[in-house]
Amino acid sequence: MKLTRKSTDLLIYNLLAERRMSGEEIGEVLGISRAAVWKAINKIRQNGVQIDVEGRRGYAIVEEMDVNPYKVASIAFRNLKFLDEVFYYTSVDSTNLRAREYGRPSVLFFAESQSAGRGRLGRRWESERGGLYFSLTLQPPLGFDDLSKLTLIAGLAVADSLPGAKLKWPNDVMVEGKKVCGILSEIHGELERPVVIIGIGINVSNPVPENAIRVQQFWYVDLTQVFDKVLKTFQHHYSLLVGGEWEKLRERYAEKCDTIGKVVKVITPTGEIVGRAEGIAKDGAIIIDGKKVYSGDCIHLRNYRSR
Ligand code: BT5
């Protein structure tokens, strides 16, 4: 289902999240008929929110599932200033695929589970219920060369939101050496005005593969709280990036990045590079033995002591 900032059902949900209200009152506040209120209330109920009605005192939310379209959309619209639309799926093939097909920027695609969750290079992302799976589309006022920084700051936003998290270059988020989040960013559209898709998968309470970890193993928190925190931090970092403050973000990224200071092997489309990861360059590349590398799969080999 699709929601915008003006969707009647979302507006009513937000009113009822505050307090009990009668149909008449809701109608007055939103400038709509009682019949329209009633119709929207039914829609909210159909989407998993239990609403109780008590005569003249009206409607109140009594119980809702831990994750539902209205909770997700309220969090998203509150945190992301640029956002226009939210698409919500209980199950979908891949939120990145939906984003690509839709084509427009300023949209969030959110799924409770994915049947064909994608990693990089055609790999699979396990996406059973209980995890966070979403894609954001953006058309940022940045030059083409700066777009890769967006992926880095998305990873940084997740790492800054989870206690004890570290980054593995380019944008895996790790806790206790195990992967808790992966990011798949894609660029499409015209070269002059590309749309960037940032797909984020975070293990929260879902079953995870070997060598992976979920948030609830180290933090007592629920899915929507993680979502709220990540979006808030992403908006903060995104504003810094667009405002020309990349330098601050670069320093922060380098602090959080466990890859720096290790001997690594990076597999790039043009070959393999083995060497010491020395730092993050001003343009967002990682520096390996003095050479800049922009993308690839990275394997940590060992720590090294600087001489
Ligand atoms: C990634 O790829 O880490 C990017 C994952 C992006 C997933 C999000 S979910 C929302 C959006 N919609 C999508 O369809 N995708 C994005 P990569 O670096 O290639 O890592 C993939 C590898 O991670 C796999 O080959 C597995 O080894 C491992 N893996 C698969 N599922 C995992 C999980 N849930 N947790 C941790 N590791 C996983």
Side-chain angles (χ1 to χ4, degrees), residues 193-242:
R193 291 291 282 153
V195 174
V196 183
I197 302 171
I198 299 176
I200 301 183
I202 305 175
N203 301 317
V204 182
S205 64
N206 53 301
V208 294
E210 239 177 89
N211 292 325
I213 192 168
R214 53 178 174 268
V215 174
Q216 288 190 349
Q217 282 173 265
F218 58 87
W219 193 19
Y220 188 72
V221 75
D222 67 31
L223 191 93
T224 46
Q225 287 170 304
V226 177
F227 185 57
D228 191 18
K229 188 88 208 282
V230 169
L231 293 194
K232 193 174 287 141
T233 314
F234 178 77
Q235 174 66 60
H236 173 260
H237 290 7
Y238 180 66
S239 302
L240 283 179
L241 181 65
V242 171

Side-chain angles (χ1 to χ4, degrees), residues 83-157:
L83 197 65
D84 292 333
E85 295 171 301
V86 172
F87 283 85
Y88 187 97
Y89 309 90
T90 45
S91 178
V92 75
D93 47 2
S94 150
T95 55
N96 265 47
L97 284 178
R98 293 301 108 223
R100 175 174 281 260
E101 195 180 271
Y102 196 59
R104 286 196 214 147
S106 311
V107 185
L108 171 83
F109 297 81
F110 184 102
E112 289 178 23
S113 66
Q114 299 182 118
S115 55
R118 294 160 69 220
R120 296 176 303 149
L121 305 167
R123 288 185 289 243
R124 193 180 151 77
W125 185 256
E126 298 299 330
S127 316
E128 287 182 57
R129 258 192 75 87
L132 256 176
Y133 313 105
F134 64 94
S135 303
L136 275 172
T137 64
L138 300 137
Q139 200 163 49
L142 296 169
F144 201 83
D145 291 345
D146 283 336
L147 295 183
S148 63
K149 293 173 187 164
L150 255 183
T151 320
L152 296 182
I153 67 150
L156 182 60

